[in-house]
């Protein structure tokens, strides 16, 4: 299921056990998303969904903000259509 795959991916992506990689191999996110047009509108819509999910599911404000930043970088990384600027590297 999508929920299980997301759990497995996030586990490894956030520094826990690499469950997704162990069970399914490297996620290859850009390659898997290439068949789909991901422009600014699609990226922003995904971020709205993720922010709502974080607001609903993550009580710790610091963790929530950390995850928002990580998801925002991922949303920018997966865009493959339209004109856009890459976000500045904060560090």
């Amino acid at each position: 299921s999508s929920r299980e795959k997301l759990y497995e991916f996030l586990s490894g992506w956030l520094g826990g056990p690499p469950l997704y990689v162990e069970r399914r191999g490297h996620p290859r996110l850009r390659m898997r998303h290439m068949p789909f047009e991901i422009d600014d509108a699609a990226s922003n819509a995904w971020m709205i969904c993720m922010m709502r999910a974080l607001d609903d599911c993550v009580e710790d404000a610091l963790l929530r903000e950390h995850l928002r930043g990580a998801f925002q970088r991922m949303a920018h990384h997966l865009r493959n259509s339209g004109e856009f600027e890459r976000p500045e590297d904060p560090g």
Side-chain angles (χ1 to χ4, degrees), residues 6 10 13 43-58 64 67-68 71-72 75:
L6 181 60
L10 291 176
W13 190 55
S43 177
N44 291 339
W46 184 79
M47 275 305 299
I48 289 169
C49 292
M50 293 307 292
M51 288 188 303
R52 287 182 183 164
L54 290 172
D55 288 343
D56 289 348
C57 298
V58 180
R64 194 170 48 246
L67 292 172
R68 280 179 207 240
F71 287 139
Q72 185 67 58

Side-chain angles (χ1 to χ4, degrees), residues 6-38:
L6 181 60
Y7 170 80
E8 292 171 356
F9 172 76
L10 291 176
S11 172
W13 190 55
L14 296 171
L19 303 174
Y20 189 95
V21 173
E22 290 171 354
R23 296 176 184 162
R24 304 172 199 287
H26 191 282
R28 304 188 197 301
L29 291 178
R30 283 193 56 84
M31 180 190 76
R32 292 182 194 272
H33 287 80
M34 276 301 170
F36 310 102
E37 182 177 332
I38 303 174

